[in-house]
Amino acid sequence: MSSNFDKWKEKKKREAAYTLKSMWKSRVQYAFLAPFAILFIVFYIAPVIISIFFSFTYYNILEPAKFIGLTNYTKLILADDIFLISVQNTFLLAVITGPLGYIMAFLFAWLIHETPKLLRSILVLIFYAPSIAFNMYMIFGTFFSSDAYGWANALLIDWGFINAPILWLTDPKYMMTVIIIVALWMSLGSGFLSFIAGLQTVGVDQYEAGYVDGIKNRWQELWFITLPNMKPMLLFGAVMAIMQSFSFGEVANMLCGNPSTDYKASTVVTHLMDYGSFRFDMGYASAIATILFLAMIFTKKGVNAMLDKVGT
Amino acid sequence: MKLLKKRKPNRSRAGDFAVYIVLALFGWFFVLPLIFAINASLKPLDEIFLFPPRLWVQKPTFDNFADLFVLMGKTWVPFSRYIFNTVFITVVGTLGHIWIASMAAYVLSKYRFPGSRAFFAIVVTALMFAPQVLNIPLYLVMTKLGWVDNVLAIIVPAFAMPMGLFLMKQFMEQIPDVLIEAAKVDGAKEARIYFQIIMPLVKPASLTLAIFSIIRLWNERASNFIYAEELKTLPYALQQIISGGSIARAGVGAAVSMFIMVFPLLFFIFAQSNVIETMASSGIKE
């Protein structure tokens, strides 16, 4: 028994010595990695860990953090009505703009790929432009402005559909619709570029083999040849779509204000900003952020499983 | 081969027609706000408040841009200061990002060492961390570092954007190892290989990192860790002008938005083919 344990200890020691040796041998590589690694840990990993840590505390920056266990989480789920609205809205946004934006990104990339080359690069520019100039979403503020100078109102009044201007950005009935339109407008991001590029890498020989094997139309070609070849890009696009659709907040904030009317346009991210930047309840804000992280990671796992079924 | 002569055999004419119809319809949806902005910036005041509104400008004028320059001299913080801040953040942030990310990407793509694969796996997960979600805990980090009200708070985190490392590493994987080995045989040190062999080969990826970094930093509103007015940026100024709401400023607001939109768009047009080349290796393999 003890000899076994000694052997095991011996083995571990040898392994550790080996690891240390290969680490020393790779010291130049570590030096190359170090600047990025240090900044990445300080500004991307540490905040996540800090966020998880403070989510179990009451912390207002001025006083030292007080450990309060799961209180933040129970309060969020059981007692915070606005959080429930935010979750509903975020869920609605994620369910609509996530998959729809993702499918749109692929669909347009695919359609653009069907066009001749010169036209293709112009179309890529047109469809990707909203992501480049994303601050332009503020134009939608003018577009849906509540006075008669707002385009939506002006046109609807002029065409005789309505008599009085609609308060697009302050009436709870319309706020989410406007936000979803803007979200879709912004949804063709780096995933879209990845799809465009990925489509060009699928080899012509595969398509030729497909013709010989009796693929009849572009839909069959898409499902049996194109999509299976693009799984890595599809996964990348999914990660980007999840990131974008779950963290949608800034736009709601800018267009509808924070707080919006009756908090009806509140999303998890605006709720987080509310507690973090205005009420300085960092513990509570951290709990919200932690829940959001978990939701994103679970969604990615689900998407992985779904992508495994593509082309079968 | 006769099979593939002109048209792909499994494409119907009606289908091709439908492709163009769909693209034309949705193309409008995506480009309309930008056309709207361009036209608004060229409209004289009486056209901006025309009822019913017209999309296309009737009597184009550069008055709004002239007004913008007048305004530049009059604001409490000189307007040129906003421009300088945005340009400074974008240039320094982007160059630093390309440099730091490509150094890390080089060793991660060409070497295996303890922790290298785990580190990259974490970076891939971090692609999902949205800046908005990180902002609150990041604020605590910035307070500890004493970087609140300091441009470093915007520039330095941008150096380590996970997306840049990810794209650069995926792109570098395609560089044949033989090139590096040959250089080593000739006695080149790692630093020399990185500067003289790797960097010239990954120019498309560098331009791609640049465009993503420019898009993010040029649009940076500096609203999170920056409170001093003289450190604010151009998009912040735009937001002030638009939400300031005074009618006389509506044209100037459009002019500023043109200003913000044009530079990243031009850079994208310039770099587009490189971006597509780089994105071809952007897939995530399980």
Side-chain angles (χ1 to χ4, degrees), chain A residues 135-172:
Chain A
N135 261 315
M136 286 303 113
Y137 69 76
M138 293 208 234
I139 292 287
F140 283 95
T142 327
F143 206 85
F144 287 108
S145 164
S146 54
D147 50 35
Y149 298 121
W151 270 52
N153 281 330
L155 291 178
L156 286 174
I157 290 175
D158 194 41
W159 293 337
F161 286 110
I162 51 172
N163 297 317
I166 294 174
L167 304 175
W168 297 104
L169 300 174
T170 35
D171 186 337

mmCIF file of all heavy atoms in Angstrom, chain A residues 135-172:
data_model
loop_
_atom_site.group_PDB
_atom_site.id
_atom_site.type_symbol
_atom_site.label_atom_id
_atom_site.label_comp_id
_atom_site.label_asym_id
_atom_site.label_seq_id
_atom_site.Cartn_x
_atom_site.Cartn_y
_atom_site.Cartn_z
ATOM 1 N N ASN A 135 -22.557 53.315 -34.234
ATOM 2 C CA ASN A 135 -23.118 54.460 -33.514
ATOM 3 C C ASN A 135 -24.262 55.113 -34.270
ATOM 4 O O ASN A 135 -24.997 55.919 -33.727
ATOM 5 C CB ASN A 135 -22.030 55.493 -33.242
ATOM 6 C CG ASN A 135 -21.508 55.362 -31.828
ATOM 7 O OD1 ASN A 135 -22.282 55.232 -30.896
ATOM 8 N ND2 ASN A 135 -20.203 55.358 -31.690
ATOM 9 N N MET A 136 -24.396 54.729 -35.550
ATOM 10 C CA MET A 136 -25.462 55.307 -36.359
ATOM 11 C C MET A 136 -26.840 54.865 -35.908
ATOM 12 O O MET A 136 -27.835 55.361 -36.400
ATOM 13 C CB MET A 136 -25.288 54.908 -37.828
ATOM 14 C CG MET A 136 -24.170 55.609 -38.534
ATOM 15 S SD MET A 136 -24.367 57.371 -38.462
ATOM 16 C CE MET A 136 -22.983 57.780 -37.434
ATOM 17 N N TYR A 137 -26.892 53.909 -34.970
ATOM 18 C CA TYR A 137 -28.234 53.519 -34.518
ATOM 19 C C TYR A 137 -28.947 54.702 -33.897
ATOM 20 O O TYR A 137 -30.157 54.702 -33.760
ATOM 21 C CB TYR A 137 -28.180 52.331 -33.566
ATOM 22 C CG TYR A 137 -27.579 52.600 -32.219
ATOM 23 C CD1 TYR A 137 -28.294 53.281 -31.244
ATOM 24 C CD2 TYR A 137 -26.292 52.174 -31.915
ATOM 25 C CE1 TYR A 137 -27.736 53.541 -30.016
ATOM 26 C CE2 TYR A 137 -25.736 52.424 -30.695
ATOM 27 C CZ TYR A 137 -26.460 53.118 -29.741
ATOM 28 O OH TYR A 137 -25.893 53.367 -28.525
ATOM 29 N N MET A 138 -28.165 55.734 -33.533
ATOM 30 C CA MET A 138 -28.805 56.918 -32.989
ATOM 31 C C MET A 138 -29.718 57.577 -34.024
ATOM 32 O O MET A 138 -30.626 58.311 -33.679
ATOM 33 C CB MET A 138 -27.748 57.896 -32.512
ATOM 34 C CG MET A 138 -27.009 57.347 -31.322
ATOM 35 S SD MET A 138 -26.390 58.610 -30.272
ATOM 36 C CE MET A 138 -24.687 58.156 -30.203
ATOM 37 N N ILE A 139 -29.432 57.291 -35.310
ATOM 38 C CA ILE A 139 -30.314 57.777 -36.368
ATOM 39 C C ILE A 139 -31.741 57.268 -36.138
ATOM 40 O O ILE A 139 -32.703 57.972 -36.403
ATOM 41 C CB ILE A 139 -29.802 57.276 -37.746
ATOM 42 C CG1 ILE A 139 -28.480 57.938 -38.097
ATOM 43 C CG2 ILE A 139 -30.838 57.497 -38.830
ATOM 44 C CD1 ILE A 139 -28.581 59.384 -38.481
ATOM 45 N N PHE A 140 -31.843 56.043 -35.603
ATOM 46 C CA PHE A 140 -33.179 55.503 -35.346
ATOM 47 C C PHE A 140 -33.932 56.355 -34.334
ATOM 48 O O PHE A 140 -35.154 56.374 -34.320
ATOM 49 C CB PHE A 140 -33.087 54.048 -34.859
ATOM 50 C CG PHE A 140 -32.809 53.067 -35.962
ATOM 51 C CD1 PHE A 140 -31.519 52.653 -36.235
ATOM 52 C CD2 PHE A 140 -33.845 52.569 -36.723
ATOM 53 C CE1 PHE A 140 -31.258 51.761 -37.252
ATOM 54 C CE2 PHE A 140 -33.591 51.664 -37.741
ATOM 55 C CZ PHE A 140 -32.297 51.265 -38.014
ATOM 56 N N GLY A 141 -33.165 57.034 -33.456
ATOM 57 C CA GLY A 141 -33.798 57.945 -32.516
ATOM 58 C C GLY A 141 -34.546 59.045 -33.254
ATOM 59 O O GLY A 141 -35.663 59.408 -32.895
ATOM 60 N N THR A 142 -33.940 59.567 -34.327
ATOM 61 C CA THR A 142 -34.605 60.589 -35.142
ATOM 62 C C THR A 142 -35.743 59.959 -35.934
ATOM 63 O O THR A 142 -36.809 60.525 -36.075
ATOM 64 C CB THR A 142 -33.596 61.184 -36.159
ATOM 65 O OG1 THR A 142 -32.313 61.179 -35.556
ATOM 66 C CG2 THR A 142 -33.993 62.575 -36.549
ATOM 67 N N PHE A 143 -35.467 58.778 -36.430
ATOM 68 C CA PHE A 143 -36.422 58.082 -37.269
ATOM 69 C C PHE A 143 -37.727 57.836 -36.526
ATOM 70 O O PHE A 143 -38.818 58.043 -37.044
ATOM 71 C CB PHE A 143 -35.797 56.748 -37.690
ATOM 72 C CG PHE A 143 -36.315 56.212 -38.964
ATOM 73 C CD1 PHE A 143 -35.769 56.640 -40.165
ATOM 74 C CD2 PHE A 143 -37.333 55.299 -38.975
ATOM 75 C CE1 PHE A 143 -36.241 56.152 -41.349
ATOM 76 C CE2 PHE A 143 -37.818 54.809 -40.168
ATOM 77 C CZ PHE A 143 -37.275 55.234 -41.358
ATOM 78 N N PHE A 144 -37.598 57.381 -35.274
ATOM 79 C CA PHE A 144 -38.780 57.053 -34.475
ATOM 80 C C PHE A 144 -39.086 58.154 -33.468
ATOM 81 O O PHE A 144 -39.751 57.913 -32.471
ATOM 82 C CB PHE A 144 -38.570 55.724 -33.742
ATOM 83 C CG PHE A 144 -38.628 54.540 -34.645
ATOM 84 C CD1 PHE A 144 -37.480 53.837 -34.973
ATOM 85 C CD2 PHE A 144 -39.831 54.127 -35.185
ATOM 86 C CE1 PHE A 144 -37.526 52.744 -35.802
ATOM 87 C CE2 PHE A 144 -39.885 53.030 -36.026
ATOM 88 C CZ PHE A 144 -38.735 52.342 -36.343
ATOM 89 N N SER A 145 -38.593 59.361 -33.731
ATOM 90 C CA SER A 145 -38.837 60.468 -32.820
ATOM 91 C C SER A 145 -40.343 60.707 -32.695
ATOM 92 O O SER A 145 -41.119 60.474 -33.618
ATOM 93 C CB SER A 145 -38.117 61.694 -33.362
ATOM 94 O OG SER A 145 -38.604 62.843 -32.751
ATOM 95 N N SER A 146 -40.751 61.170 -31.495
ATOM 96 C CA SER A 146 -42.189 61.205 -31.224
ATOM 97 C C SER A 146 -42.907 62.397 -31.853
ATOM 98 O O SER A 146 -44.123 62.389 -31.978
ATOM 99 C CB SER A 146 -42.423 61.203 -29.720
ATOM 100 O OG SER A 146 -41.698 62.266 -29.150
ATOM 101 N N ASP A 147 -42.173 63.443 -32.254
ATOM 102 C CA ASP A 147 -42.863 64.565 -32.867
ATOM 103 C C ASP A 147 -43.103 64.285 -34.347
ATOM 104 O O ASP A 147 -42.733 63.235 -34.871
ATOM 105 C CB ASP A 147 -42.074 65.872 -32.675
ATOM 106 C CG ASP A 147 -40.628 65.712 -33.078
ATOM 107 O OD1 ASP A 147 -40.371 64.970 -34.042
ATOM 108 O OD2 ASP A 147 -39.745 66.304 -32.431
ATOM 109 N N ALA A 148 -43.722 65.225 -35.017
ATOM 110 C CA ALA A 148 -44.091 64.997 -36.407
ATOM 111 C C ALA A 148 -42.870 64.998 -37.327
ATOM 112 O O ALA A 148 -42.980 64.667 -38.498
ATOM 113 C CB ALA A 148 -45.079 66.063 -36.869
ATOM 114 N N TYR A 149 -41.683 65.376 -36.793
ATOM 115 C CA TYR A 149 -40.484 65.337 -37.626
ATOM 116 C C TYR A 149 -39.880 63.947 -37.681
ATOM 117 O O TYR A 149 -39.042 63.665 -38.513
ATOM 118 C CB TYR A 149 -39.439 66.326 -37.099
ATOM 119 C CG TYR A 149 -39.934 67.738 -37.137
ATOM 120 C CD1 TYR A 149 -40.011 68.499 -35.978
ATOM 121 C CD2 TYR A 149 -40.346 68.297 -38.345
ATOM 122 C CE1 TYR A 149 -40.484 69.789 -36.014
ATOM 123 C CE2 TYR A 149 -40.818 69.592 -38.376
ATOM 124 C CZ TYR A 149 -40.888 70.340 -37.214
ATOM 125 O OH TYR A 149 -41.348 71.598 -37.267
ATOM 126 N N GLY A 150 -40.283 63.100 -36.719
ATOM 127 C CA GLY A 150 -39.835 61.712 -36.791
ATOM 128 C C GLY A 150 -40.379 61.093 -38.065
ATOM 129 O O GLY A 150 -41.540 61.272 -38.412
ATOM 130 N N TRP A 151 -39.519 60.382 -38.758
ATOM 131 C CA TRP A 151 -39.905 59.840 -40.067
ATOM 132 C C TRP A 151 -41.079 58.900 -39.996
ATOM 133 O O TRP A 151 -42.014 58.985 -40.788
ATOM 134 C CB TRP A 151 -38.708 59.098 -40.656
ATOM 135 C CG TRP A 151 -37.868 59.987 -41.458
ATOM 136 C CD1 TRP A 151 -37.353 61.188 -41.069
ATOM 137 C CD2 TRP A 151 -37.467 59.776 -42.791
ATOM 138 N NE1 TRP A 151 -36.637 61.722 -42.078
ATOM 139 C CE2 TRP A 151 -36.683 60.872 -43.148
ATOM 140 C CE3 TRP A 151 -37.675 58.755 -43.713
ATOM 141 C CZ2 TRP A 151 -36.115 60.982 -44.407
ATOM 142 C CZ3 TRP A 151 -37.113 58.862 -44.951
ATOM 143 C CH2 TRP A 151 -36.334 59.974 -45.292
ATOM 144 N N ALA A 152 -41.030 57.994 -39.062
ATOM 145 C CA ALA A 152 -42.081 56.980 -38.970
ATOM 146 C C ALA A 152 -43.440 57.665 -38.797
ATOM 147 O O ALA A 152 -44.395 57.370 -39.512
ATOM 148 C CB ALA A 152 -41.797 56.046 -37.804
ATOM 149 N N ASN A 153 -43.487 58.626 -37.862
ATOM 150 C CA ASN A 153 -44.739 59.339 -37.639
ATOM 151 C C ASN A 153 -45.135 60.170 -38.847
ATOM 152 O O ASN A 153 -46.281 60.145 -39.289
ATOM 153 C CB ASN A 153 -44.620 60.238 -36.421
ATOM 154 C CG ASN A 153 -44.762 59.452 -35.140
ATOM 155 O OD1 ASN A 153 -45.456 58.441 -35.126
ATOM 156 N ND2 ASN A 153 -44.108 59.896 -34.098
ATOM 157 N N ALA A 154 -44.183 60.926 -39.373
ATOM 158 C CA ALA A 154 -44.482 61.828 -40.486
ATOM 159 C C ALA A 154 -45.074 61.052 -41.663
ATOM 160 O O ALA A 154 -46.098 61.444 -42.232
ATOM 161 C CB ALA A 154 -43.215 62.557 -40.909
ATOM 162 N N LEU A 155 -44.451 59.929 -41.993
ATOM 163 C CA LEU A 155 -44.938 59.166 -43.143
ATOM 164 C C LEU A 155 -46.305 58.564 -42.851
ATOM 165 O O LEU A 155 -47.199 58.607 -43.694
ATOM 166 C CB LEU A 155 -43.933 58.066 -43.506
ATOM 167 C CG LEU A 155 -42.614 58.587 -44.085
ATOM 168 C CD1 LEU A 155 -41.660 57.442 -44.360
ATOM 169 C CD2 LEU A 155 -42.866 59.387 -45.365
ATOM 170 N N LEU A 156 -46.470 58.014 -41.647
ATOM 171 C CA LEU A 156 -47.751 57.392 -41.321
ATOM 172 C C LEU A 156 -48.873 58.422 -41.305
ATOM 173 O O LEU A 156 -49.989 58.158 -41.744
ATOM 174 C CB LEU A 156 -47.664 56.678 -39.963
ATOM 175 C CG LEU A 156 -46.871 55.366 -39.966
ATOM 176 C CD1 LEU A 156 -46.714 54.819 -38.563
ATOM 177 C CD2 LEU A 156 -47.548 54.337 -40.859
ATOM 178 N N ILE A 157 -48.567 59.642 -40.811
ATOM 179 C CA ILE A 157 -49.580 60.707 -40.804
ATOM 180 C C ILE A 157 -49.876 61.124 -42.242
ATOM 181 O O ILE A 157 -51.031 61.258 -42.654
ATOM 182 C CB ILE A 157 -49.098 61.910 -39.982
ATOM 183 C CG1 ILE A 157 -49.067 61.551 -38.499
ATOM 184 C CG2 ILE A 157 -50.016 63.118 -40.205
ATOM 185 C CD1 ILE A 157 -48.486 62.626 -37.598
ATOM 186 N N ASP A 158 -48.818 61.294 -43.013
ATOM 187 C CA ASP A 158 -48.984 61.751 -44.386
ATOM 188 C C ASP A 158 -49.793 60.752 -45.221
ATOM 189 O O ASP A 158 -50.615 61.137 -46.045
ATOM 190 C CB ASP A 158 -47.590 61.946 -45.015
ATOM 191 C CG ASP A 158 -47.684 62.748 -46.304
ATOM 192 O OD1 ASP A 158 -48.463 63.717 -46.315
ATOM 193 O OD2 ASP A 158 -47.005 62.383 -47.281
ATOM 194 N N TRP A 159 -49.555 59.470 -44.975
ATOM 195 C CA TRP A 159 -50.295 58.461 -45.729
ATOM 196 C C TRP A 159 -51.675 58.208 -45.138
ATOM 197 O O TRP A 159 -52.428 57.383 -45.640
ATOM 198 C CB TRP A 159 -49.505 57.140 -45.755
ATOM 199 C CG TRP A 159 -48.235 57.240 -46.533
ATOM 200 C CD1 TRP A 159 -47.954 58.128 -47.510
ATOM 201 C CD2 TRP A 159 -47.067 56.430 -46.395
ATOM 202 N NE1 TRP A 159 -46.685 57.938 -47.992
ATOM 203 C CE2 TRP A 159 -46.110 56.888 -47.329
ATOM 204 C CE3 TRP A 159 -46.727 55.353 -45.570
ATOM 205 C CZ2 TRP A 159 -44.850 56.329 -47.460
ATOM 206 C CZ3 TRP A 159 -45.470 54.785 -45.708
ATOM 207 C CH2 TRP A 159 -44.544 55.273 -46.644
ATOM 208 N N GLY A 160 -51.972 58.844 -44.021
ATOM 209 C CA GLY A 160 -53.299 58.761 -43.446
ATOM 210 C C GLY A 160 -53.557 57.554 -42.572
ATOM 211 O O GLY A 160 -54.707 57.213 -42.305
ATOM 212 N N PHE A 161 -52.515 56.850 -42.125
ATOM 213 C CA PHE A 161 -52.747 55.696 -41.260
ATOM 214 C C PHE A 161 -53.074 56.104 -39.830
ATOM 215 O O PHE A 161 -53.829 55.457 -39.140
ATOM 216 C CB PHE A 161 -51.532 54.756 -41.258
ATOM 217 C CG PHE A 161 -51.406 53.976 -42.531
ATOM 218 C CD1 PHE A 161 -50.384 54.230 -43.427
ATOM 219 C CD2 PHE A 161 -52.320 52.978 -42.820
ATOM 220 C CE1 PHE A 161 -50.272 53.510 -44.601
ATOM 221 C CE2 PHE A 161 -52.203 52.253 -43.996
ATOM 222 C CZ PHE A 161 -51.183 52.524 -44.892
ATOM 223 N N ILE A 162 -52.453 57.192 -39.387
ATOM 224 C CA ILE A 162 -52.697 57.629 -38.012
ATOM 225 C C ILE A 162 -52.969 59.130 -38.009
ATOM 226 O O ILE A 162 -52.600 59.845 -38.949
ATOM 227 C CB ILE A 162 -51.492 57.337 -37.082
ATOM 228 C CG1 ILE A 162 -50.191 57.877 -37.706
ATOM 229 C CG2 ILE A 162 -51.372 55.855 -36.789
ATOM 230 C CD1 ILE A 162 -49.005 57.805 -36.786
ATOM 231 N N ASN A 163 -53.633 59.602 -36.953
ATOM 232 C CA ASN A 163 -53.933 61.030 -36.839
ATOM 233 C C ASN A 163 -52.953 61.747 -35.936
ATOM 234 O O ASN A 163 -52.589 62.885 -36.178
ATOM 235 C CB ASN A 163 -55.343 61.236 -36.273
ATOM 236 C CG ASN A 163 -56.378 60.670 -37.206
ATOM 237 O OD1 ASN A 163 -56.282 60.855 -38.420
ATOM 238 N ND2 ASN A 163 -57.338 59.953 -36.646
ATOM 239 N N ALA A 164 -52.560 61.072 -34.854
ATOM 240 C CA ALA A 164 -51.654 61.695 -33.894
ATOM 241 C C ALA A 164 -50.357 60.898 -33.866
ATOM 242 O O ALA A 164 -50.366 59.696 -34.078
ATOM 243 C CB ALA A 164 -52.301 61.688 -32.515
ATOM 244 N N PRO A 165 -49.241 61.591 -33.640
ATOM 245 C CA PRO A 165 -47.961 60.873 -33.592
ATOM 246 C C PRO A 165 -47.939 59.789 -32.523
ATOM 247 O O PRO A 165 -48.537 59.934 -31.455
ATOM 248 C CB PRO A 165 -46.938 61.969 -33.273
ATOM 249 C CG PRO A 165 -47.709 63.191 -32.959
ATOM 250 C CD PRO A 165 -49.079 63.029 -33.478
ATOM 251 N N ILE A 166 -47.265 58.700 -32.822
ATOM 252 C CA ILE A 166 -47.100 57.612 -31.856
ATOM 253 C C ILE A 166 -45.816 57.852 -31.076
ATOM 254 O O ILE A 166 -44.801 58.249 -31.650
ATOM 255 C CB ILE A 166 -47.022 56.253 -32.588
ATOM 256 C CG1 ILE A 166 -48.357 55.954 -33.267
ATOM 257 C CG2 ILE A 166 -46.647 55.136 -31.631
ATOM 258 C CD1 ILE A 166 -48.325 54.705 -34.127
ATOM 259 N N LEU A 167 -45.870 57.619 -29.777
ATOM 260 C CA LEU A 167 -44.676 57.805 -28.952
ATOM 261 C C LEU A 167 -43.852 56.521 -28.979
ATOM 262 O O LEU A 167 -43.836 55.749 -28.036
ATOM 263 C CB LEU A 167 -45.067 58.153 -27.518
ATOM 264 C CG LEU A 167 -45.977 59.367 -27.367
ATOM 265 C CD1 LEU A 167 -46.402 59.534 -25.915
ATOM 266 C CD2 LEU A 167 -45.279 60.620 -27.861
ATOM 267 N N TRP A 168 -43.160 56.303 -30.100
ATOM 268 C CA TRP A 168 -42.470 55.031 -30.324
ATOM 269 C C TRP A 168 -41.539 54.657 -29.181
ATOM 270 O O TRP A 168 -41.430 53.489 -28.820
ATOM 271 C CB TRP A 168 -41.637 55.098 -31.608
ATOM 272 C CG TRP A 168 -42.435 55.302 -32.830
ATOM 273 C CD1 TRP A 168 -42.555 56.468 -33.537
ATOM 274 C CD2 TRP A 168 -43.234 54.348 -33.522
ATOM 275 N NE1 TRP A 168 -43.376 56.295 -34.616
ATOM 276 C CE2 TRP A 168 -43.802 54.992 -34.635
ATOM 277 C CE3 TRP A 168 -43.519 52.999 -33.299
ATOM 278 C CZ2 TRP A 168 -44.643 54.351 -35.530
ATOM 279 C CZ3 TRP A 168 -44.351 52.351 -34.191
ATOM 280 C CH2 TRP A 168 -44.909 53.030 -35.289
ATOM 281 N N LEU A 169 -40.823 55.633 -28.655
ATOM 282 C CA LEU A 169 -39.739 55.319 -27.728
ATOM 283 C C LEU A 169 -40.152 55.450 -26.268
ATOM 284 O O LEU A 169 -39.371 55.162 -25.372
ATOM 285 C CB LEU A 169 -38.532 56.218 -28.000
ATOM 286 C CG LEU A 169 -37.962 56.069 -29.408
ATOM 287 C CD1 LEU A 169 -36.882 57.083 -29.657
ATOM 288 C CD2 LEU A 169 -37.429 54.662 -29.618
ATOM 289 N N THR A 170 -41.383 55.901 -26.013
ATOM 290 C CA THR A 170 -41.809 56.007 -24.621
ATOM 291 C C THR A 170 -43.090 55.229 -24.343
ATOM 292 O O THR A 170 -43.447 55.039 -23.194
ATOM 293 C CB THR A 170 -42.021 57.485 -24.208
ATOM 294 O OG1 THR A 170 -42.527 58.202 -25.330
ATOM 295 C CG2 THR A 170 -40.717 58.103 -23.762
ATOM 296 N N ASP A 171 -43.775 54.776 -25.364
ATOM 297 C CA ASP A 171 -44.986 53.998 -25.152
ATOM 298 C C ASP A 171 -44.605 52.520 -25.037
ATOM 299 O O ASP A 171 -44.083 51.936 -25.986
ATOM 300 C CB ASP A 171 -45.951 54.209 -26.330
ATOM 301 C CG ASP A 171 -47.290 53.533 -26.085
ATOM 302 O OD1 ASP A 171 -47.325 52.596 -25.271
ATOM 303 O OD2 ASP A 171 -48.279 53.946 -26.712
ATOM 304 N N PRO A 172 -44.861 51.897 -23.864
ATOM 305 C CA PRO A 172 -44.450 50.500 -23.658
ATOM 306 C C PRO A 172 -44.924 49.550 -24.756
ATOM 307 O O PRO A 172 -44.300 48.518 -24.992
ATOM 308 C CB PRO A 172 -45.106 50.138 -22.324
ATOM 309 C CG PRO A 172 -45.298 51.432 -21.628
ATOM 310 C CD PRO A 172 -45.507 52.472 -22.681
#
